[in-house]
């Protein structure tokens, strides 16, 4: 009985060992049937490359809408400090203008009066200056009183102020006082363009009277053009200054324009969105 028990135990052990060996062989065969090995030439042709595992930034794509915009300093409203009637202009919305170019010509009797006042004051200034110098000489020899000298000085200073004030007014309407004399008095004044750019709006017509508060033309300088994008609050946290942006218009989707984010607004509007400038 003791001998029989040992034989049965040995047979069971041998059977278990054969079963484990068969399972190991089966697993090896399954792995061999599902694995593929490639040569270096095959991997190169297929474009397969390997590398060590490392931490990398995964890029995501965020598509938003926006408009083309310019900063406030590139948008100019042209007006005149002194009112007048519009005599001529050839501008239309979309017209290109250069800095210093004549946009319009205005005329008004007050321009003539202003030039007249300046020339008269300049003549009085010359007389007051000569009289002041004469009183200084007389006062130095005790031939004139100090009161007469003070009156001459006061008149001279008053005329200087008047001439400078009138010259400043004439400069506002682009009249050069250096060349102004009785033969060059004009009833018209030009309006010059302060920037290089384009006309976006024309608010006047020939013969219309414009006051100092009226805007004649609206100009825009496109040299500092940028994108004003609308980004929802949940996506704004993914953006940072310096990130690259690819922009395109709906009517020309194949024409891409590269840009960089330079300002992210901190204000959230009623639509829970922020403005991102690129």
């Amino acid at each position: 009985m003791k001998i029989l028990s040992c034989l049965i135990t040995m047979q069971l052990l041998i059977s278990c060992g054969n079963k484990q060996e068969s399972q190991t062989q089966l697993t090896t065969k399954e792995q061999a049937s599902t694995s593929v090995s490639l040569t270096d030439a095959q991997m190169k042709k297929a474009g397969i490359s390997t590398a060590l595992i490392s931490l990398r930034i995964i890029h995501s794509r965020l598509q938003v809408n926006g408009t083309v915009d310019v900063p406030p300093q590139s948008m100019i409203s042209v007006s005149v400090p002194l009112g007048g009637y519009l005599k001529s202009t050839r501008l239309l919305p979309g017209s290109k203008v250069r800095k210093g170019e004549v946009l319009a010509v205005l005329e008004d009797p007050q321009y003539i009066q202003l030039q007249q006042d300046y020339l008269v004051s300049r003549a009085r200034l010359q007389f007051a200056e000569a009289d002041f110098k004469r009183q200084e000489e007389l006062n130095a020899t005790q031939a004139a009183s100090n009161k007469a000298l003070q009156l001459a000085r006061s008149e001279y200073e008053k005329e200087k102020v008047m001439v400078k004030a009138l010259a400043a007014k004439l400069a506002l309407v682009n009249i050069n006082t250096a060349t102004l004399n009785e033969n060059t008095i004009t009833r018209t004044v030009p309006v010059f363009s302060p920037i290089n750019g384009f006309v976006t709006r024309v608010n006047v017509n020939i013969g219309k009277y414009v006051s100092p508060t009226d805007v004649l033309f609206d100009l825009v300088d496109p040299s500092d053009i940028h994108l004003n994008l609308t980004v929802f609050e949940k996506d704004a946290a993914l953006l940072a200054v310096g990130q690259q942006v690819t922009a395109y218009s709906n009517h020309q989707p194949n024409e891409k324009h590269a840009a960089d984010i330079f300002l992210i607004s901190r204000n959230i509007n009623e639509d829970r969105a922020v403005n991102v400038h690129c």
Side-chain angles (χ1 to χ4, degrees):
M1 293 297 291
K2 293 182 179 179
I3 298 174
L4 180 60
S5 298
C6 291
L7 290 175
I8 292 173
T9 304
M10 292 178 62
Q11 288 178 356
L12 291 174
L13 292 173
I14 293 172
S15 298
C16 291
N18 292 336
K19 186 178 180 181
Q20 292 177 356
E21 183 180 356
S22 62
Q23 289 179 351
T24 303
Q25 292 176 355
L26 181 60
T27 304
T28 304
K29 289 180 180 180
E30 290 178 353
Q31 291 178 352
S33 63
T34 57
S35 63
V36 178
S37 61
L38 300 176
T39 63
D40 293 340
Q42 290 174 329
M43 293 181 65
K44 183 177 180 181
K45 185 176 181 180
I48 300 174
S49 61
T50 60
L52 296 176
I53 298 177
S54 61
L55 293 176
R56 294 186 180 181
I57 298 176
I58 299 177
H59 295 277
S60 60
R61 181 179 181 182
L62 179 63
Q63 189 168 0
V64 297
N65 296 324
T67 58
V68 177
D69 201 0
V70 292
Q73 60 268 24
S74 297
M75 302 176 63
I76 306 296
S77 295
V78 179
S79 59
V80 288
L82 298 177
Y85 294 91
L86 184 66
K87 183 178 181 180
S88 64
T89 184
R90 294 182 295 176
L91 295 183
L92 294 173
S95 300
K96 185 177 181 180
V97 295
R98 300 184 307 273
K99 185 175 182 179
E101 177 183 349
V102 177
L103 302 179
V105 176
L106 281 75
E107 63 178 356
D108 195 84
Q110 66 175 323
Y111 304 148
I112 301 175
Q113 184 64 47
L114 190 59
Q115 295 170 84
Q116 175 184 339
D117 294 342
Y118 173 79
L119 292 175
V120 171
S121 294
R122 191 169 67 180
R124 289 177 179 173
L125 176 61
Q126 294 174 352
F127 173 80
E129 182 180 10
D131 183 59
F132 172 63
K133 291 180 178 179
R134 183 171 56 254
Q135 292 297 329
E136 276 189 322
E137 294 175 356
L138 294 174
N139 185 265
T141 59
Q142 301 297 321
S145 64
N146 293 334
K147 181 178 180 180
L149 178 61
Q150 292 174 355
L151 289 174
R153 180 185 290 110
S154 175
E155 189 67 22
Y156 173 57
E157 295 295 336
K158 182 179 69 175
E159 292 300 333
K160 279 203 305 183
V161 172
M162 183 65 68
V163 169
K164 289 184 178 181
L166 291 172
K169 289 183 178 180
L170 290 173
L172 287 176
V173 291
N174 300 312
I175 294 179
N176 186 7
T177 57
T179 59
L180 180 61
N181 55 54
E182 65 276 8
N183 299 319
T184 59
I185 296 177
T186 178
R187 64 181 185 181
T188 61
V189 296
V191 179
F192 298 110
S193 173
I195 61 171
N196 296 319
F198 295 89
V199 180
T200 59
R201 185 178 300 175
V202 178
N203 303 316
V204 291
N205 54 269
I206 304 299
K208 182 179 180 179
Y209 181 84
V210 293
S211 63
T213 59
D214 294 333
V215 176
L216 281 67
F217 311 101
D218 288 327
L219 309 180
V220 60
D221 180 7
S223 61
D224 196 12
I225 196 171
H226 70 273
L227 292 175
N228 186 3
L229 304 179
T230 302
V231 181
F232 288 107
E233 180 184 7
K234 63 182 181 63
D235 297 324
L238 303 175
L239 304 180
V241 174
Q243 284 182 331
Q244 295 183 350
V245 176
T246 300
Y248 60 89
S249 59
N250 292 332
H251 64 282
Q252 290 180 329
N254 296 326
E255 185 176 348
K256 309 295 183 181
H257 303 276
D260 296 323
I261 297 177
F262 72 89
L263 178 63
I264 300 176
S265 176
R266 301 299 180 183
N267 298 326
I268 302 176
N269 58 27
E270 60 276 5
D271 297 327
R272 307 304 300 175
V274 300
N275 293 326
V276 177
H277 300 275
C278 308

